[in-house]
Amino acid sequence: MDLSLEPSEEQIRREREKARELRKSQWWKNRIAQGVCHYCGAEAPPKELTLDHIVPISRGGKSTRGNCVPSCKECNSRKQSLLPMEWEEFLDKLQSEQ
Ligand SMILES: [Zn+2]
């Protein structure tokens, strides 16, 4: 995937739409029923898990099953407040702690 390609507004709109559909799918319901955050591994009630794009749509990420994961509130807000680089460092740190 070429991350240097900026997605057009139209692409972003389409991927957001797909994400909405994915959220309603049985596949997603099964994912959140497991009640585990993809990033930190914390257990969370399904209703507190949000659909997160590993590669954000704004950076060319797609709303595919491979790119959409359940994220707890904490990771979600942390991811939004950090630069992509800082977020990767945070993930590396999590993995080395496990
Ligand atoms: Zn988490």
Side-chain angles (χ1 to χ4, degrees), residues 77-89:
S77 60
R78 191 171 283 145
K79 190 179 184 203
Q80 268 155 29
S81 66
L82 296 177
L83 297 169
M85 271 273 292
E86 294 172 328
W87 171 246
E88 273 162 36
E89 280 168 18

Side-chain angles (χ1 to χ4, degrees), residues 70-81:
S71 167
C72 71
K73 277 185 192 163
E74 212 178 310
C75 285
N76 201 42
S77 60
R78 191 171 283 145
K79 190 179 184 203
Q80 268 155 29
S81 66

Side-chain angles (χ1 to χ4, degrees), residues 18-86:
K18 272 198 262 172
R20 255 196 303 277
E21 290 301 314
L22 205 54
R23 223 176 264 131
K24 288 186 242 165
S25 72
Q26 192 55 47
W27 169 79
W28 178 249
K29 285 174 186 153
N30 291 341
R31 284 294 299 233
I32 57 175
Q34 292 166 16
V36 179
C37 171
H38 170 82
Y39 296 116
C40 69
E43 289 182 26
K47 65 171 164 42
E48 287 185 14
L49 290 168
T50 54
L51 187 148
D52 190 69
H53 291 75
I54 297 175
V55 179
I57 292 174
S58 58
R59 302 185 82 214
K62 303 279 186 251
S63 295
T64 57
R65 293 182 181 193
N67 193 41
C68 292
V69 295
S71 167
C72 71
K73 277 185 192 163
E74 212 178 310
C75 285
N76 201 42
S77 60
R78 191 171 283 145
K79 190 179 184 203
Q80 268 155 29
S81 66
L82 296 177
L83 297 169
M85 271 273 292
E86 294 172 328

